[in-house]
C-alpha cells in the first residue's frame, strides 16, 4: 500500500474527519481557519465553506444538514441552502472557552468537550 496526497488543504489545524455515506464523501475541519472541507470520493473534488468562528467538529445531520461546533455554540448547517441556524450556546459564562471535539453516539446524543483558548 502506498499513501498519496488527495488534496493539499494547508489547514492551520485540521481535525475531525467524518465519513458521510450518503454523499460518499469525507468532511474535515480547519479549527483555526474556520473552514469546513468536503472531499467527494467519486468526483475527487473538494468543496469548502468558511465561517467567522473556530470550527471544532462536524456531525452528520438529517438530509443535507450537518451539525457544527463553532466556538462554543452548536449550529445546524444546510449544505444545499448554506443556511446556518444557531442551536445552543454552551458555557456562555466562560467566554474564553471553545469546543475542542465532538461526536454523536448511536442514540443520537451529541458529546462535546470544551477547552480554554
Amino acid at each position: 500500500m502506498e499513501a498519496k496526497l488527495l488534496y493539499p488543504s494547508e489547514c492551520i489545524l485540521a481535525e475531525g474527519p467524518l465519513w458521510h455515506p450518503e454523499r460518499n464523501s469525507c468532511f474535515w475541519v480547519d479549527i483555526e481557519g474556520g473552514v469546513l472541507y468536503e472531499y467527494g470520493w467519486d468526483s475527487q473534488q473538494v468543496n469548502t465553506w468558511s465561517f467567522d468562528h473556530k470550527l471544532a467538529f462536524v456531525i452528520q445531520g438529517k438530509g443535507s444538514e450537518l451539525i457544527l461546533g463553532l466556538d462554543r455554540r452548536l449550529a445546524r448547517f444546510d449544505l444545499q441552502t448554506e443556511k446556518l441556524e444557531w442551536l445552543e450556546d454552551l458555557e456562555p459564562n466562560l467566554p474564553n472557552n471553545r469546543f475542542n471535539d465532538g461526536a454523536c453516539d448511536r442514540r443520537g446524543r451529541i458529546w462535546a468537550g470544551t477547552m480554554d483558548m
Side-chain angles (χ1 to χ4, degrees):
M1 178 185 288
E2 181 180 331
K4 76 175 193 174
L5 179 65
L6 294 177
Y7 179 74
S9 64
E10 299 182 9
C11 293
I12 299 168
L13 180 57
E15 288 195 20
L18 168 74
W19 177 252
H20 195 297
E22 286 82 13
R23 293 175 67 92
N24 202 34
S25 65
C26 181
F27 287 91
W28 73 95
V29 301
D30 179 356
I31 294 176
E32 294 295 328
V35 180
L36 172 65
Y37 292 85
E38 177 188 27
Y39 180 85
W41 215 255
D42 297 328
S43 68
Q44 298 182 352
Q45 298 295 310
V46 174
N47 296 314
T48 61
W49 297 267
S50 295
F51 301 90
D52 292 329
H53 305 275
K54 293 185 185 304
L55 175 56
F57 60 83
V58 56
I59 296 171
Q60 184 176 342
K62 295 179 181 176
S64 63
E65 296 176 341
L66 300 173
I67 303 298
L68 305 178
L70 295 161
D71 294 327
R72 63 175 190 280
R73 296 187 291 173
L74 288 174
R76 180 181 294 123
F77 181 66
D78 190 304
L79 291 164
Q80 292 178 341
T81 65
E82 298 189 354
K83 178 185 173 193
L84 184 69
E85 176 188 355
W86 295 108
L87 300 174
E88 187 67 40
D89 186 356
L90 280 78
E91 303 178 335
N93 58 325
L94 299 171
N96 289 326
N97 275 14
R98 70 159 175 85
F99 282 121
N100 182 48
D101 202 355
C104 187
D105 70 12
R106 291 181 184 184
R107 295 172 67 186
R109 298 175 296 188
I110 295 173
W111 292 76
T114 60
M115 62 178 271
D116 186 288
M117 289 187 276

